[in-house]
Amino acid sequence: MPSVSFEHIVKRFGAVTVLDGLNLTVEKGDFLVLLGPSGCGKTTLLNLLAGLLDVSSGRIMIGDRDVTELDPKDRGLAMVFQSYALYPTKTVEGNLRFGLSARKLPKAEADARVTWASELLQLTPLMRRKPSELSGGQRQRVAIGRALVKHADVLLFDEPLSNLDAKLRTEMRLEIKKLHDTLSPTVVYVTHDQIEAMTMATKIAIMNGGEIQQFGTPDEVYENPANLFVASFIGSPAMNLTNARFRITDGSPGAMFDNGTKMDLTGYDFVSTPQDGDAIAVGMRPEHFLIDTQGTQQSHSAFDLTVKMVERTGSDALISLEFADDQLFVRAEPDRAAKTRPGETVSVQYPTAKLNLFDAREGRRL
Amino acid sequence: MTDTNVMYPRKPKRITGRSIAVLVFLSMAAMFFCVPLYVLIVTSFKEMDQIREGAMFSLPTKWTLEAWHFAWFEACSGLNCSGLRAGFWNSVVILVPSLTASIALSMVTGYALALWDVKWAGPFLFVLFLCAFVPFQIIMYPLIRLTVTMGIYGSTTAIAFVHTVLAMPILTLIFRNFYKDIPPELIKAAIMDSGSFWRIFVEIILPMSGNILIVVLILQITSIWNDYLIGVTFGGLGTKPMTVHLANMVTVSTGTVSYNVNMAAALLTAIPPLVIYFVLGKFFVQGIAAGAIKG
């Protein structure tokens, strides 16, 4: 299972530069998720790797092979498409077999692979059917099977679950994860769904505007977002981001919000310390708030805030609180939220170590 | 229960002035085709004696196949009096190769233009589009010179060749537009799976082309079989298609006009496209619909 690396990739469509000098390396056996909003270049990057598009400049390596100039079929890849892209006139078995057509395999080997994939994905009873006679989940499994029979070292997924309903999506997510655990191919998976990214990935590359904003494990990306874009993109409900000024009072760092509220930043692990008076953005995850805790905990900031609204989202509830001309969303137990009425005052605390501070102008993490 | 939950039966449709007008117009249009066809059919079964009496709408007093037999085996086209069958076989010999060649070539060209990265595909399509609208008469003389140079002028090969060439632009456009509607991911998947131009064509694209093939088959069979101008221009003695034979038969200027034979000959000439319509007609409608909306 080889590694995959993109080196100084540039891709232009006419006068539009979609990717400009992108570098990214996936270790072997990694499950890389390319995550980003529509039009961020993630699918372009995947198509470049697959060979369905040509790079304008740069180099793509799979293992120690330079595949930049190779035909798609010679790159040792298999791909699963969003619309499944099954061959409508072929049976399930025909679909699986056609995946092997570029490889001149002996018949016994081809048979063995098709049987293996059909058993792995529980397709055996469906082998004689046409794609039009299958449900969405079954079609998706055939598409995955067609990729698996090739025994490709690198599997590519292009938003494979976005055409499925919510329940099926959860099931298929687990199945893909399980496949990766058993077969451990190198996977490059494109999605705009951050839950898919968080649950399946071993590495996430968050893209925006053709650039990689952050590359790291799901935990790193979630807990230590590299910039404002990542902070606001990852997390649902989203991170609270409030504008403030950086102040140094008696030698200790602090944030002063627009309405004069102060927050002590002692104990925050600064990447780079800003100047006194710099504009910053303070990011707080809704789930890190403590509600109703007696006495101020060590290295926590405490506020008493007015409730604006209470939302029940199912397993959780969100309380929105008035805070510094803005609002803070705080995750709460449904029982606690049920007792809360708009206009009441709630005391919350936030651990300083879990803060995320950003330079408000440049967006980078402080 | 509110009023909105009650289903009222729809008012029965009234026959209005407008629908009567439409019906009258449609009936007239139908008569326009049916009356001559009726005359054609009954006359072809009559004997000349009855035809001379006039009364062209009357049924034959004695049904006879004589006229049909005569038209097929004995009728004269020019000096050659071996009936229409020579023309029929010429038409078949012209139809089969030109049909096969034009469809096979335009199908592959359309497939390449629609689904593969062809250099200059845009300008090429534009030229094809222009060619599809050039009237045959404009390029007739150069084509004659061309076939003479090739040494095939006056043979059925020449007629078949010209039919093939002339059909290429429009057929290529038809196939290209049909294949353009195939989801791009499907061809991407096929490229990653196989990567072979011909293999993808034969195994994936060809089986998906059933509907459009029917449409093109009907279009081509009808236009090649019913063609007169190309046949009369490029055919030589004994190689002219059935339509030319028919025209020569009915425009004969000596002796009495054998209406029954002429009508039988006209019907004989029209049968092959009719058969195609009846056999393929059901698929034809499906094929046209499939071009518009992809299932």
Side-chain angles (χ1 to χ4, degrees):
Chain A
M1 303 302 143
S3 59
V4 173
S5 59
F6 298 93
E7 297 170 9
H8 312 291
I9 300 295
V10 177
K11 177 62 189 173
R12 291 185 207 93
F13 291 105
V16 185
T17 305
V18 178
L19 301 172
D20 195 2
L22 181 141
N23 289 294
L24 181 66
T25 302
V26 192
E27 298 301 325
K28 57 182 178 181
D30 255 348
F31 195 120
L32 170 77
V33 172
L34 295 172
L35 179 66
S38 300
C40 70
K42 55 191 193 301
T43 299
T44 306
L45 191 61
L46 194 74
N47 282 335
L48 290 175
L49 174 57
L52 299 170
L53 292 173
D54 292 328
V55 294
S56 303
S57 76
R59 194 161 73 136
I60 301 172
M61 303 284 289
I62 297 177
D64 47 13
R65 287 189 306 147
D66 182 347
V67 299
T68 322
E69 301 294 328
L70 287 184
D71 272 351
K73 68 173 164 58
D74 300 325
R75 295 192 179 195
L77 305 163
M79 186 155 169
V80 178
F81 293 89
Q82 178 176 0
S83 64
Y84 322 132
L86 299 180
Y87 309 122
T89 54
K90 285 188 178 291
T91 59
V92 169
E93 186 175 357
N95 268 278
L96 295 183
R97 267 184 207 285
F98 193 76
L100 297 169
S101 57
R103 293 157 180 72
K104 307 248 173 322
L105 288 177
K107 191 168 181 312
E109 171 69 11
D111 287 346
R113 287 196 190 183
V114 169
T115 314
W116 165 77
S118 67
E119 278 166 11
L120 188 70
L121 295 160
Q122 296 138 42
L123 294 171
T124 316
L126 311 173
M127 292 305 263
R128 299 258 158 263
R129 296 211 201 155
K130 294 273 175 71
S132 56
E133 300 160 345
L134 301 177
S135 71
Q138 290 169 335
R139 288 181 202 186
Q140 186 60 72
R141 289 217 300 275
V142 177
I144 293 173
R146 195 174 61 184
L148 288 182
V149 289
K150 295 196 219 172
H151 286 193
D153 301 329
V154 183
L155 279 180
L156 312 182
F157 291 86
D158 187 7
E159 310 205 13
L161 304 184
S162 39
N163 285 3
L164 300 177
D165 63 50
K167 182 165 171 286
L168 212 49
R169 203 178 302 168
T170 318
E171 284 173 24
M172 289 307 296
R173 218 161 63 198
L174 283 173
E175 275 196 49
I176 294 177
K177 181 84 184 139
K178 218 165 67 192
L179 279 176
H180 181 249
D181 290 345
T182 32
L183 307 173
S184 54
T186 308
V187 172
V188 181
Y189 187 108
V190 162
T191 185
H192 58 257
D193 183 320
Q194 47 172 300
I195 299 181
E196 281 174 28
M198 294 297 293
T199 50
M200 290 194 283
T202 59
K203 287 284 173 58
I204 296 182
I206 295 181
M207 294 184 68
N208 188 36
E211 282 173 12
I212 291 180
Q213 303 290 322
Q214 187 170 6
F215 176 61
T217 65
D219 284 344
E220 282 167 11
V221 170
Y222 189 81
E223 296 296 346
N224 294 308
N227 55 38
L228 270 176
F229 174 79
V230 177
S232 55
F233 188 76
I234 285 278
S236 172
M239 183 188 282
N240 297 293
L241 287 162
T242 317
N243 288 321
R245 295 229 163 248
F246 186 74
R247 292 276 177 228
I248 296 178
T249 345
D250 306 332
S252 57
M256 167 120 75
F257 294 100
D258 292 349
N259 66 344
T261 314
K262 283 190 187 121
M263 183 186 237
D264 187 15
L265 297 179
T266 315
Y268 176 75
D269 191 10
F270 281 97
V271 181
S272 62
T273 316
Q275 299 286 309
D276 185 64
D278 278 357
I280 59 171
V282 178
M284 292 177 271
R285 289 266 178 219
E287 67 273 22
H288 291 327
F289 281 97
L290 302 175
I291 305 177
D292 304 331
T293 316
Q294 292 301 311
T296 307
Q297 304 271 309
Q298 208 185 349
S299 329
H300 278 58
S301 307
F303 311 97
D304 290 324
L305 301 169
T306 314
V307 175
K308 278 175 83 174
M309 215 166 57
V310 180
E311 278 181 318
R312 175 83 195 255
T313 59
S315 58
D316 280 330
L318 274 184
I319 304 177
S320 84
L321 302 168
E322 279 176 36
F323 178 71
D325 302 337
D326 201 353
Q327 56 185 357
L328 282 183
F329 286 97
V330 173
R331 196 201 74 107
E333 292 299 322
D335 289 349
R336 176 67 185 84
K339 288 186 293 186
T340 315
R341 294 277 168 273
E344 286 178 8
T345 303
V346 171
S347 57
V348 293
Q349 298 187 23
Y350 195 88
T352 316
K354 299 267 188 191
L355 280 173
N356 293 282
L357 300 184
F358 302 96
D359 184 306
R361 250 189 312 271
E362 291 166 33
R364 80 193 141 76
R365 185 181 185 85
L366 293 172
Chain B
M1 247 339 220
T2 54
D3 273 359
T4 49
N5 287 338
V6 181
M7 295 271 287
Y8 292 106
R10 262 168 113 191
K11 276 184 195 158
K13 265 201 169 171
R14 290 264 170 74
I15 296 177
T16 59
R18 197 169 50 167
S19 60
I20 289 173
V22 169
L23 278 174
V24 168
F25 177 77
L26 288 178
S27 312
M28 280 171 61
M31 298 284 278
F32 197 79
F33 285 94
C34 290
V35 172
L37 186 64
Y38 168 79
V39 174
L40 203 66
I41 292 171
V42 290
T43 311
S44 72
F45 289 106
K46 285 178 185 169
E47 292 179 309
M48 272 314 286
D49 292 341
Q50 192 193 348
I51 293 170
R52 281 193 209 95
E53 291 165 11
M56 61 188 207
F57 292 106
S58 62
L59 286 172
T61 44
K62 188 182 156 216
W63 292 80
T64 168
L65 278 171
E66 254 171 53
W68 290 73
H69 188 270
F70 188 82
W72 186 250
F73 289 105
E74 293 162 53
C76 294
S77 159
L79 294 172
N80 176 6
C81 289
S82 54
L84 264 181
R85 59 199 159 130
F88 175 83
W89 289 115
N90 282 345
S91 279
V92 171
V93 169
I94 292 164
L95 178 69
V96 173
S98 58
L99 191 67
T100 324
S102 62
I103 291 182
L105 283 171
S106 57
M107 215 172 175
V108 175
T109 322
Y111 156 69
L113 284 173
L115 301 174
W116 289 77
D117 218 1
V118 180
K119 248 190 182 166
W120 304 107
F124 185 66
L125 276 172
F126 182 70
V127 171
L128 271 185
F129 183 73
L130 286 183
C131 291
F133 290 96
V134 173
F136 165 61
Q137 288 84 342
I138 292 181
I139 53 167
M140 194 158 80
Y141 183 67
L143 271 177
I144 292 173
R145 299 290 318 169
L146 184 70
T147 46
V148 169
T149 316
M150 289 165 76
I152 55 172
Y153 180 78
S155 64
T156 46
T157 317
I159 304 175
F161 172 74
V162 172
H163 274 302
T164 308
V165 170
L166 291 181
M168 284 300 289
I170 190 73
L171 291 194
T172 305
L173 286 177
I174 289 175
F175 278 115
R176 185 257 177 195
N177 286 351
F178 181 78
Y179 292 141
K180 202 73 200 166
D181 286 344
I182 290 178
E185 289 197 335
L186 195 70
I187 189 77
K188 282 186 187 174
I191 287 174
M192 291 195 71
D193 277 352
S194 160
S196 151
F197 180 88
W198 291 108
R199 183 147 198 169
I200 295 174
F201 178 69
V202 173
E203 284 204 40
I204 310 292
I205 301 299
L206 202 57
M208 293 174 72
S209 316
N211 286 332
I212 196 71
L213 256 180
I214 301 279
V215 173
V216 167
L217 268 178
I218 291 186
L219 269 178
Q220 274 301 88
I221 292 177
T222 326
S223 85
I224 295 175
W225 192 271
N226 290 343
D227 159 74
Y228 174 78
L229 188 55
I230 296 175
V232 83
T233 315
F234 291 87
L237 268 179
T239 61
K240 293 193 188 323
M242 201 173 185
T243 43
V244 178
H245 281 252
L246 174 69
N248 288 347
M249 270 173 63
V250 298
T251 51
V252 68
S253 52
T254 54
T256 51
V257 182
S258 316
Y259 290 108
N260 53 354
V261 174
N262 289 351
M263 308 259 167
L267 284 169
L268 277 171
T269 314
I271 282 173
L274 270 181
V275 170
I276 298 295
Y277 269 124
F278 285 127
V279 174
L280 301 178
K282 196 180 78 182
F283 305 105
F284 183 64
V285 180
Q286 290 173 0
I288 287 180
I293 311 151
K294 199 89 200 150

